[in-house]
Amino acid sequence: MVIVLERSIREDHKRRIRDFLEARGFRVREIVGEEETIFGAVGHLGIDLREVEVLQGVARVIPISKPYKLASRELQKDDSVLRVGPVKIGGRRIAVIAGPCSVEGKDEILEAAHMVRKSGAVMLRGGAYKPRTSPYAFQGLGVEGLRYLKEAGEATGMPVISEIVSPELIDEMIEYVDVLQVGARNMQNFELLKAIGSRNVPVMLKRGLCATIEEWLMAAEYLLAHGAENVVLCERGIRTFETYTRNTLDISSIPVVKTLSHLPVMVDPSHATGIRAKVPPVALAAVAAGADGLIVEVHPTPEEALSDGPQSLHPEQFERLMRDIEALAPVVEKELLRLPERHERVPAFAGVEATAAATEAEMLVAFQGERGAFSEQALLRYFHSDTVVPAPQPDFRSVFNAVLEGRCRYGIVPLENSLAGSIHENFDLLLQYPDLSIVGEVKIRIIHSLIGTPESSIEDVARVYSHPQGLAQCARFLDEHPQWERVPFYDTAGSVAHVAKLGERSVAAIANAEAAAVYKMKVLRDGIETNPQNYTRFALVARSEDSHVDRPSKASIVFATPDTPGALLSCMAVLSNRNLNLKKLESRPILGKPWQYMFYLDIALPSDPTPFEQAMQELAETAQDLRLLGKYRAG
Ligand code: PEP
Ligand code: MN
């Protein structure tokens, strides 16, 4: 049964409910959801639900109608997410596991690991104990294979997964493997499931060759009932009368299981088809049907593979498949999960000195551009402190990556200019990095200066470099000097660095005056922007686990709407009914879905958090793909 707890339940009441249930032989699991906290209670004995309903702190009790309880969506409405190191499976991500069918040797698995990692795999597969149909076929390298697998995973920064075939092997396997795979042939090996469950190791449960969906979910229930908390399912094709393919991929099992269960569902297109050329189309179909990820066999030279060569992809085929998945992902409102690039230390782009402070990710704030850029000004303004270290990045995506990968604690990106409008790329990036949140906002006035070498004066100038925006925003001043050549450059502060390098009196740049100081250059004329009402608003982003802000005054959210008359209006009504003030509304095309749009909203937050929380709950039903981008203090 599901016991929904009152929002303000006292700890001692919670304890009493748990004791009450445990005394009657129930296993109790607490699940903290976005909307409510529940106890899932599973036991052998019947109980009158009213006995539980009357306990203090219980809001309501819901019986679970399905034979599988802990695996059921009735128990947990939100998707569960399996976490292993940097990898998350479930939710809005598509995670791809790849590697050879079996570990064949140290060099082979290392080569395979590098290849699949380069193409975007997030976990490495490789069997060491192989359940082969024939006792004469290659049976795997055993513990030696596990050792090589672990080494290859460590060398490439990927967790590893391998199949377990017997309960006796658990101790050995968990020394080397991050996720245990229960193969199709062992799906109903209940002693194995119980043993794995009781060790609470992350596990991927493949569907049995002839198992119904219910039998498969009951097998997952065994794992969960014995204590496993990290379980993913894997559809790998079932036996049918068809012989052309090795198995028949039950594609409809994906949406079916996703309705019945909160567990993530992976798909193995390799064992499903058994034919290399059929793997990519089936893999894409699985993603389109809602799979949370794929496990794909890839071999450096499939022709020489010791097992399952005919179904293993060549590395180039895998690379192509990953690109196709990336293009398809937004269509199903997901992102292809990528592992962070591996950097030994903070990159020294544009000469950030690797001072003692600069190696402290805590202090680093990523911004796009060269030293002296407006973004750097904005971050220094935000932090009012010289304890932060600005970390220049070549482009906006690198700012997001630097934060995601933990190289920088914060990143700052411009969202909107009062004259030029939104910086769309950053709106799109906010959506593409669901693990980052907006935690702050700052607005700065954009004042442009003409900057030359220390010896030059305005009369010497013949050529002016700047970002096209900088040139456009100073058009009136430049028009007074029609003989000057205007040269577009990728970045305003970068144009100052460039002019400093050229060292000629006849060249100048347009940027902010602080950039002149950074590069020891001279301001030839200050305040040359045509319109003094020129402001840019920046967002500060951090990793979501680091995103708590006290007393936020603004929230940014994003959603799509159903394609029906009045759909946006009904979403807006959710806000206006609660007297929530809309500060901004912007629409952006959805990548991969031509002529469909996401709506980005900024909302002023009153001091009482309740109206906004309620609005979000209601919006989750009214809108589609609702996401909170962040709650922060308005700048
Ligand atoms: C495997 O993944 O190598 C394997 C043997 O798969 P299955 O259990 O799905 O046949
Ligand atoms: Mn195989």
Side-chain angles (χ1 to χ4, degrees):
M1 77 191 100
V2 175
I3 298 134
V4 182
L5 304 178
E6 283 174 357
R7 271 173 179 270
S8 51
I9 185 169
R10 285 174 20 191
E11 275 310 310
D12 57 329
H13 288 163
K14 233 181 185 177
R15 185 71 250 162
R16 225 173 288 155
I17 301 167
R18 189 185 270 278
D19 289 348
F20 176 90
L21 293 162
E22 284 175 352
R24 284 155 185 80
F26 282 85
R27 272 174 189 271
V28 182
R29 174 180 294 205
E30 181 171 347
I31 300 168
V32 183
E34 279 194 359
E35 292 165 28
E36 53 198 19
T37 298
I38 62 162
F39 277 162
V42 186
H44 302 292
L45 303 172
I47 189 173
D48 186 342
L49 295 190
R50 285 171 302 182
E51 280 188 58
V52 185
E53 238 152 19
V54 296
L55 296 176
Q56 266 185 313
V58 172
R60 55 189 194 284
V61 179
I62 310 160
I64 301 175
S65 58
K66 300 283 189 306
Y68 42 87
K69 311 286 180 192
L70 297 170
S72 166
R73 249 309 159 203
E74 290 176 46
L75 179 84
Q76 183 180 318
K77 277 189 262 157
D78 299 332
D79 292 343
S80 52
V81 176
L82 176 133
R83 290 160 211 265
V84 244
V87 175
K88 290 184 190 158
I89 301 178
R92 291 268 169 88
R93 316 166 181 83
I94 294 169
V96 179
I97 303 173
C101 177
S102 12
V103 181
E104 298 168 3
K106 193 176 166 139
D107 296 340
E108 167 268 341
I109 189 71
L110 192 63
E111 189 185 356
H114 279 293
M115 278 169 174
V116 299
R117 170 79 161 93
K118 194 168 109 286
S119 300
V122 295
M123 203 185 294
L124 180 66
R125 65 152 287 151
Y129 292 96
K130 297 300 302 173
R132 304 303 299 279
T133 307
S134 161
Y136 309 116
F138 175 59
Q139 304 285 306
L141 295 183
V143 67
E144 190 190 355
L146 294 177
R147 207 172 295 126
Y148 298 152
L149 183 68
K150 183 178 161 105
E151 276 172 28
E154 281 172 355
T156 48
M158 286 186 285
V160 299
I161 179 168
S162 195
E163 178 167 354
I164 179 156
V165 289
S166 145
E168 290 82 66
L169 287 169
I170 292 190
D171 285 332
E172 178 188 300
M173 291 210 56
I174 58 182
E175 204 181 309
Y176 300 102
V177 169
D178 302 286
V179 182
L180 293 176
Q181 173 177 328
V182 175
R185 288 154 197 84
N186 273 310
M187 188 203 84
Q188 283 185 317
N189 181 341
F190 298 120
E191 292 311 311
L192 180 62
L193 299 177
K194 285 188 216 167
I196 296 172
S198 64
R199 302 297 291 270
N200 193 7
V201 213
V203 54
M204 184 171 86
L205 177 68
K206 289 193 144 189
R207 182 175 179 185
L209 277 71
C210 295
T212 64
I213 289 175
E214 188 161 303
E215 285 164 344
W216 186 19
L217 290 174
M218 287 309 289
E221 189 74 12
Y222 261 92
L223 290 165
L224 296 165
H226 284 85
E229 285 171 300
N230 275 304
V231 177
V232 287
L233 301 167
C234 178
E235 162 65 49
R236 44 79 73 205
I238 48 175
R239 274 280 161 82
T240 66
F241 50 80
E242 181 52 65
T243 53
Y244 186 87
T245 49
R246 183 170 172 181
N247 291 290
T248 299
L249 183 71
D250 180 7
I251 198 109
S252 54
S253 73
I254 305 161
V256 169
V257 170
K258 292 208 71 78
T259 312
L260 297 176
S261 173
H262 53 85
L263 296 174
V265 183
M266 306 284 285
V267 167
D268 175 346
S270 310
H271 293 86
T273 58
I275 307 166
R276 184 180 306 132
K278 309 298 175 221
V279 170
V282 166
L284 292 172
V287 171
D292 294 295
L294 300 168
I295 176 162
V296 187
E297 287 185 343
V298 183
H299 194 283
T301 41
E303 296 73 18
E304 292 164 22
L306 296 181
S307 60
D308 285 348
Q311 69 191 34
S312 300
L313 293 185
H314 286 282
E316 319 76 77
Q317 287 178 301
F318 180 62
E319 167 79 24
R320 171 66 205 262
L321 173 62
M322 291 301 283
R323 283 166 177 273
D324 288 348
I325 295 170
E326 189 157 24
L328 177 60
V331 180
V332 284
E333 276 106 30
K334 289 194 179 154
E335 288 297 324
L336 178 61
L337 179 68
R338 294 266 183 199
L339 284 184
E341 296 293 327
R342 280 152 67 85
H343 293 284
E344 295 313 315
R345 52 186 290 265
V346 175
F349 173 75
V352 196
E353 272 118 56
T355 58
T359 53
E360 274 288 335
E362 274 294 284
M363 319 291 278
L364 284 165
V365 185
F367 70 96
Q368 183 275 328
E370 300 274 359
R371 296 303 311 269
F374 285 107
S375 293
E376 185 184 14
Q377 247 187 5
L379 79 88
L380 294 172
R381 175 86 52 85
Y382 182 88
F383 285 100
H384 307 282
S385 137
D386 48 24
T387 55
V388 301
V389 180
Q393 308 293 323
D395 47 42
F396 292 134
R397 186 176 283 281
S398 305
V399 173
F400 283 80
N401 281 336
V403 181
L404 182 71
E405 293 160 15
R407 286 180 283 126
C408 292
R409 177 149 183 205
Y410 298 105
I412 196 159
V413 288
L415 286 184
E416 171 178 34
N417 177 266
S418 58
L419 302 179
S422 290
I423 292 103
H424 293 130
E425 184 182 348
N426 287 328
F427 279 85
D428 293 343
L429 286 165
L430 284 171
L431 209 57
Q432 287 168 27
Y433 285 75
D435 295 326
L436 302 189
S437 294
I438 302 177
V439 293
E441 178 186 71
V442 59
K443 300 177 187 121
I444 62 166
R445 189 173 152 204
I446 304 295
I447 304 175
H448 287 298
S449 300
L450 184 73
I451 298 167
T453 59
E455 306 74 38
S456 71
S457 65
I458 201 158
E459 289 73 34
D460 299 321
V461 174
R463 201 164 359 122
V464 182
Y465 291 85
S466 191
H467 187 277
Q469 281 280 352
L471 295 170
Q473 290 178 359
C474 301
R476 195 181 301 159
F477 171 74
L478 290 172
D479 286 347
E480 290 167 18
H481 304 275
Q483 72 284 13
W484 290 357
E485 186 191 349
R486 303 175 195 184
V487 187
F489 208 74
Y490 72 96
D491 182 38
T492 52
S495 68
V496 182
H498 183 64
V499 164
K501 204 156 107 218
L502 293 176
E504 292 165 24
R505 294 158 77 117
S506 62
V507 293
I510 290 176
N512 75 71
E514 260 119 302
V518 171
Y519 299 100
K520 303 198 171 43
M521 300 284 279
K522 187 162 109 189
V523 173
L524 304 179
R525 179 73 65 81
D526 200 12
I528 58 169
E529 70 280 4
T530 306
N531 188 335
Q533 307 273 357
N534 188 354
Y535 297 90
T536 296
R537 188 165 70 89
F538 292 83
L540 192 77
V541 294
R543 288 203 281 181
S544 302
E545 61 262 29
D546 193 17
S547 69
H548 177 77
V549 174
D550 273 337
R551 287 175 288 114
S553 60
K554 197 171 173 184
S556 296
I557 64 171
V558 60
F559 57 71
T561 58
D563 188 13
T564 52
L568 181 58
L569 184 65
S570 28
C571 293
M572 293 311 193
V574 171
L575 303 175
S576 74
N577 289 345
R578 289 181 177 76
N579 220 12
L580 290 166
N581 192 12
L582 186 64
K583 306 297 285 183
K584 183 177 182 204
L585 171 64
E586 164 116 20
S587 68
R588 287 284 304 142
I590 302 178
L591 279 168
K593 285 191 176 177
W595 327 128
Q596 294 189 39
Y597 303 89
M598 296 298 288
F599 294 98
Y600 289 76
L601 285 76
D602 287 349
I603 299 158
L605 293 180
S607 49
D608 173 10
T610 321
F612 180 70
E613 280 169 15
Q614 289 173 344
M616 286 298 277
Q617 279 175 23
E618 198 178 328
L619 272 178
E621 325 235 299
T622 324
Q624 294 172 338
D625 307 321
L626 173 67
R627 218 168 78 207
L628 176 66
L629 294 176
K631 285 199 275 188
Y632 51 93
R633 299 224 190 134

